[in-house]
Amino acid sequence: MKRSTLVLILVFGGLAVVVAGGLVAAVFVAALQDEGEGGLGSPALGYITIEGTISDSRETVRDIRQLSRNSAVRGLLVRVDSPGGVVTPAHEIYTELKRVRESGKPVVVSMGTVAASGGYYVSAPADMIVANPGTLTGSIGVIMELPILRGLLDKLGMRVEVVKSREHKDIGSPFRDMTPGDRALLQGVVADVYEQFVAVVSQEREIPLDSVRRFADGRILTGRQALALGLVDTLGTLEDAKLIAAEICGIKGEPRLVKPAPKLNVWLRRLMDGMSEKLLGVPQIPRLSYRW
């Protein structure tokens, strides 16, 4: 057998295993998506997790909407374990959770190991935020990172010629150094998005803007420190948060948890996105991030 043929067999065989594994996982998760006491149709809590870097809001927004439209779901329990991520997806998740709260269904957030920056942003609209004492949270701020490849190209004897309409059209280009004008313009963008973040925290947590700015300098906080500043409501575990959510929603006893139905295409997309991020190392385009 030719070597090239063997390689193709191994590649397609590996893809088949991945797809088959995804199907099995989807079926298994679907079988477990309804947990707790009581039968189908009894009062329940919708349960979703927001984990890892927030880079795409579509799956999470879909899950929130699916659960909020379930007549048996009295409120949402959201587990957040994220260092944050890209600004727009974080804001879209925040907006969707706020919409659920304003519709009359309570939202309770349980913070895990990390719920910082964008992880805090998506937690802000909750009726109740429960953090572990050692949760790392806070990190209220905005960052933009731009890789510069000019030095590497110089060593390789390569260069990139750019034809542009005006001076800022290639702002953020990795093929040239940033000019003072570029930096001033981008700093203005970052400052504007930062002010939006501070305003959200002030509004949702009912803390004066000036008070928020005193600790909104990017610093991280423990859950206990965040409690003292009014950023969270109480300390406790995921189990504590579940019982608090059940009490707020008027559910007696151990609450039934309803999880969103998984979709195979979402699983495959997340797998491919994760692989590309690891291979590339850095984002392909400049982007604003609420990230610690």
Side-chain angles (χ1 to χ4, degrees), residues 140 193-203 209 212-213 216:
I140 297 169
V193 177
Y194 167 76
E195 288 300 326
Q196 295 175 41
F197 196 163
V198 170
V200 163
V201 175
S202 175
Q203 175 186 329
L209 278 170
V212 175
R213 289 195 182 95

Side-chain angles (χ1 to χ4, degrees), residues 87 91 94 121 140-143 186-204 207-214 216-218 288-290:
V87 164
H91 182 72
Y94 157 83
Y121 193 100
I140 297 169
V142 185
I143 187 170
L186 292 176
Q187 186 62 55
V189 171
V190 170
D192 182 68
V193 177
Y194 167 76
E195 288 300 326
Q196 295 175 41
F197 196 163
V198 170
V200 163
V201 175
S202 175
Q203 175 186 329
E204 300 295 347
I207 304 173
L209 278 170
D210 290 342
S211 297
V212 175
R213 289 195 182 95
R214 290 192 186 102
D217 54 6
L288 290 164
S289 296
Y290 295 137

Side-chain angles (χ1 to χ4, degrees), residues 33-35 39-48 61-76 96 100 103-106 249 251 256-261:
Q33 65 177 339
D34 201 314
E35 300 178 352
L40 294 176
S42 62
L45 293 174
Y47 178 73
I48 65 170
V61 168
R62 176 189 69 87
D63 292 344
I64 294 170
R65 288 185 176 180
Q66 181 188 103
L67 291 173
S68 66
R69 292 168 181 168
N70 186 329
S71 59
V73 170
R74 298 288 180 83
L76 293 184
E96 200 60 37
V100 173
S103 74
K105 291 190 174 183
C249 295
I251 300 174
R256 181 168 65 93
L257 298 184
V258 177
K259 300 177 183 179

Side-chain angles (χ1 to χ4, degrees), residues 193-267:
V193 177
Y194 167 76
E195 288 300 326
Q196 295 175 41
F197 196 163
V198 170
V200 163
V201 175
S202 175
Q203 175 186 329
E204 300 295 347
R205 300 304 303 173
E206 298 182 353
I207 304 173
L209 278 170
D210 290 342
S211 297
V212 175
R213 289 195 182 95
R214 290 192 186 102
F215 54 78
D217 54 6
R219 73 182 70 179
I220 58 170
L221 304 163
T222 67
R224 192 164 68 172
Q225 290 173 325
L227 177 64
L229 293 171
L231 291 175
V232 305
D233 296 291
T234 189
L235 301 179
T237 64
L238 174 60
E239 188 65 23
D240 294 328
K242 181 173 70 173
L243 296 178
I244 289 171
E247 183 178 357
I248 293 174
C249 295
I251 300 174
K252 296 182 179 180
E254 181 71 15
R256 181 168 65 93
L257 298 184
V258 177
K259 300 177 183 179
K263 283 189 175 181
L264 179 60
N265 65 324
V266 171
W267 182 85

Side-chain angles (χ1 to χ4, degrees), residues 140-151:
I140 297 169
V142 185
I143 187 170
M144 178 184 285
E145 297 170 313
L146 305 172
I148 302 297
L149 304 179
R150 180 187 166 188

